[in-house]
């Protein structure tokens, strides 16, 4: 033992020098450059499952703080929404090409076409000049589905000609041109157009159609597709219904659309939007709670072995929970604020602060079902286009491929 002691001391001394040397070598290496905005997550392991159907659920302005607040409002605890239990989660960056904060036009166009554009622009490229000059039309997942003979549907609580639903079926240099946007649903570039179209906005769309020299009645007659005012007007056996009302029951509309689309032997693509803006915090958060319950109903009706369910938002919003305790009312002070009928941009409740504006942080993307494993990491919102296309097993056209 006495003879071994010097050797042990020498070994320990040598070992103690290794970390210092290693640290010096590490410091001498060039620092890695941050990834570009277009970087994608590493390729997930292959599962072999392709989707026959894809359903995109879009909570307009439903960022991470809104999901958190909705869970607290609905269930008194964090992480109680159904979509928060889904196994695949990523963070989607939503900016347009020339700013940090997105509107719904760029946000949704990027998700469904894979091309970021400018705020206010509907599924046209960055070469667009808003309101003045059309840019290159970009091809949406819905248009790819139409081209391949799948059934398609768009359901929204908002105007059917507004930015989020319109990005799926129309192309415009200005989201405000509802009179030009809506008729594009009946004059598709691919296939026979959206098969199921349910949304609100009837009065304003009608006004713009009249200014353009047409009407709901004329469009419906020309294309043999009556444009109903309520879901109740849809006759039995109608395969391609269109309803544009003053408002829209999202649950009834979605389940009606699903009944029709699930009859397709080739599969379907369905988009469902529910407004989640929290300008009015109780209304906005309750919308998310109700949307989440609807999503659970849909999930129970589909086969996840052949269906991808994808949930995300087009942009985030300025809500934060900055107080409160378990067992107490989340929106304490709401009734008093509501009674003031305040138009101020800042809403200050006891536990919740709302800055009534879009914000630029990443939004959650959550997925379950066939192809869901691709949703992970940080990525630009254009990556969600790839997720849906890959789930179907489709490649984008060469002109649009990146």
């Amino acid at each position: 033992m006495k003879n071994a002691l010097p050797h042990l001391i020498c070994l320990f001394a040598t070992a103690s020098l290794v970390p210092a040397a290693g640290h010096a070598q590490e410091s001498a290496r060039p620092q890695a450059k941050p990834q570009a905005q277009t970087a994608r997550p590493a390729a997930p392991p292959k599962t072999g499952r392709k989707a026959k159907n894809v359903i995109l659920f879009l909570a307009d302005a439903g960022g991470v703080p809104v999901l958190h607040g909705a869970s607290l409002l609905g269930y008194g605890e964090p992480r109680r929404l159904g979509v928060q239990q889904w196994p695949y989660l990523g963070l989607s960056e939503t900016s347009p090409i020339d700013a940090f904060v997105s509107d719904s036009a760029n946000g949704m166009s990027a998700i469904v076409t894979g091309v970021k554009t400018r705020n206010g622009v509907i599924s046209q490229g960055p070469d667009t000049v808003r309101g003045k000059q059309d840019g290159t039309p970009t091809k949406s997942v819905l248009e790819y589905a139409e081209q391949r003979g799948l059934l398609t549907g768009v359901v929204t609580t908002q105007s059917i000609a507004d930015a989020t639903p319109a990005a799926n079926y129309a192309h415009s240099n200005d989201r405000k041109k509802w009179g030009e946007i809506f008729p594009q649903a009946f004059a598709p570039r691919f296939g026979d157009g959206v098969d199921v179209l349910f949304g609100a906005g009837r009065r304003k769309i009608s006004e713009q159609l009249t200014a353009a020299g047409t009407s709901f009645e004329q469009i419906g007659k020309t294309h043999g597709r009556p444009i109903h005012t309520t879901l109740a007007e849809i006759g039995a056996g109608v395969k391609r219904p269109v309803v544009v009302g003053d408002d829209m029951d999202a649950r009834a509309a979605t389940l009606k659309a699903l009944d029709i689309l699930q009859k397709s032997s080739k599969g379907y693509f369905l988009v469902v939007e529910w407004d989640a803006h929290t300008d009015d915090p109780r209304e906005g958060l309750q919308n998310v709670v109700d949307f989440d319950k609807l999503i659970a109903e849909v999930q129970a009706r589909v086969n996840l072995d052949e269906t991808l369910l994808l949930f995300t938002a087009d942009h985030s919003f300025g809500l934060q929970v900055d107080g409160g305790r378990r067992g107490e009312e989340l929106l304490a002070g709401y009734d008093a604020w509501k009674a003031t009928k305040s138009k101020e941009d800042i809403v200050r409740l006891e536990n919740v602060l709302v800055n009534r504006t879009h914000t630029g942080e990443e939004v959650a993307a959550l997925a379950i079902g066939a192809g869901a494993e691709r949703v992970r990491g940080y990525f630009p919102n254009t990556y969600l286009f790839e997720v849906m296309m890959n789930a179907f097993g489709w490649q984008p056209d060469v002109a649009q491929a990146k």
Side-chain angles (χ1 to χ4, degrees), residues 49-385:
R49 289 197 302 171
K50 289 186 178 179
K52 179 182 178 182
N53 319 299
V54 172
I55 304 178
L56 172 60
F57 298 103
L58 197 290
D60 192 345
V64 173
V66 170
L67 297 183
H68 175 67
S71 181
L72 297 182
L73 178 69
Y75 305 101
E77 288 287 338
R79 297 184 297 108
R80 290 296 188 267
L81 297 178
V83 293
Q84 291 175 315
Q85 316 311 311
W86 285 2
Y88 296 100
L89 164 67
L91 288 172
S92 175
E93 187 280 315
T94 65
S95 67
I97 62 160
D98 55 354
F100 294 133
V101 180
S102 184
D103 74 343
S104 294
N106 164 74
M108 190 61 166
S109 295
I111 291 168
V112 299
T113 73
V115 179
K116 283 180 178 287
T117 187
R118 303 178 188 278
N119 284 340
V121 173
I122 303 293
S123 294
Q124 291 185 352
D127 54 340
T128 310
V129 179
R130 182 178 179 179
K132 297 180 180 179
Q133 178 181 308
D134 284 334
T136 305
T138 50
K139 191 173 179 180
S140 70
V141 178
L142 186 144
E143 290 180 314
Y144 280 100
E146 279 291 323
Q147 187 176 36
R148 287 163 172 78
L150 278 68
L151 293 184
T152 61
V154 177
V155 175
T156 178
T157 58
Q158 307 308 106
S159 168
I160 197 63
D162 207 355
T164 304
N168 295 281
Y169 67 82
H171 308 268
S172 176
N173 62 37
D174 195 329
R175 60 178 293 177
K176 294 181 179 180
K177 297 180 178 180
W178 289 6
E180 295 180 14
I181 289 170
F182 178 73
Q184 292 184 50
F186 302 85
R189 300 193 306 156
F190 304 94
D192 58 1
V194 190
D195 295 291
V196 179
L197 199 62
F198 296 157
R202 190 174 186 93
R203 181 186 60 80
K204 185 175 178 181
I205 298 172
S206 179
E207 290 173 355
Q208 292 202 21
L209 290 176
T210 299
T214 187
S215 65
F216 285 122
E217 292 73 19
Q218 185 173 333
I219 292 172
K221 184 176 181 180
T222 299
H223 298 281
R225 298 181 70 184
I227 301 170
H228 303 293
T229 58
T230 67
L231 294 171
E233 294 175 9
I234 301 173
V238 175
K239 296 179 179 180
R240 307 187 70 228
V242 180
V243 177
V244 182
D246 294 320
D247 53 29
M248 184 54 58
D249 181 335
R251 178 182 177 275
T254 301
L255 298 182
K256 177 66 175 177
L258 196 60
D259 286 342
I260 295 170
L261 299 180
Q262 284 186 315
K263 295 175 182 177
S264 172
S265 60
K266 291 186 177 181
Y268 60 85
F269 177 65
L270 173 62
V271 177
V272 182
E273 178 202 18
W274 199 318
D275 182 37
H277 284 83
T278 47
D279 304 75
D280 181 316
R282 181 179 297 281
E283 182 178 303
L285 295 180
Q286 187 61 51
N287 281 347
V288 177
V289 173
D290 294 339
F291 194 16
D292 183 68
K293 291 177 180 178
L294 170 60
I295 292 170
E297 284 191 77
V298 172
Q299 181 176 336
R301 293 190 181 200
V302 303
N303 179 357
L304 293 177
D305 288 334
E306 62 178 22
T307 305
L308 170 64
L309 303 184
L310 176 62
F311 174 94
T312 193
D314 46 359
H315 55 77
S316 194
F317 199 79
L319 176 137
Q320 67 182 44
V321 176
D322 56 4
R325 301 177 63 85
R326 284 175 166 82
E328 296 179 356
E329 183 182 1
L330 174 68
L331 297 181
Y334 171 84
D335 290 338
W337 166 78
K338 190 72 172 177
T340 67
K341 299 182 180 180
S342 173
K343 302 294 184 181
E344 295 294 325
D345 288 337
I346 301 298
V347 179
R348 175 72 268 183
L349 307 183
E350 290 184 26
N351 305 317
V352 173
L353 176 67
V354 182
N355 179 14
R356 296 159 116 176
T357 187
H358 295 185
T359 52
E361 71 273 10
E362 292 82 2
V363 300
L366 298 135
I368 191 171
E373 68 280 353
R374 295 180 177 87
V375 177
R376 59 181 192 167
Y378 272 85
F379 44 76
N381 52 2
T382 52
Y383 176 68
L384 295 176
F385 169 80

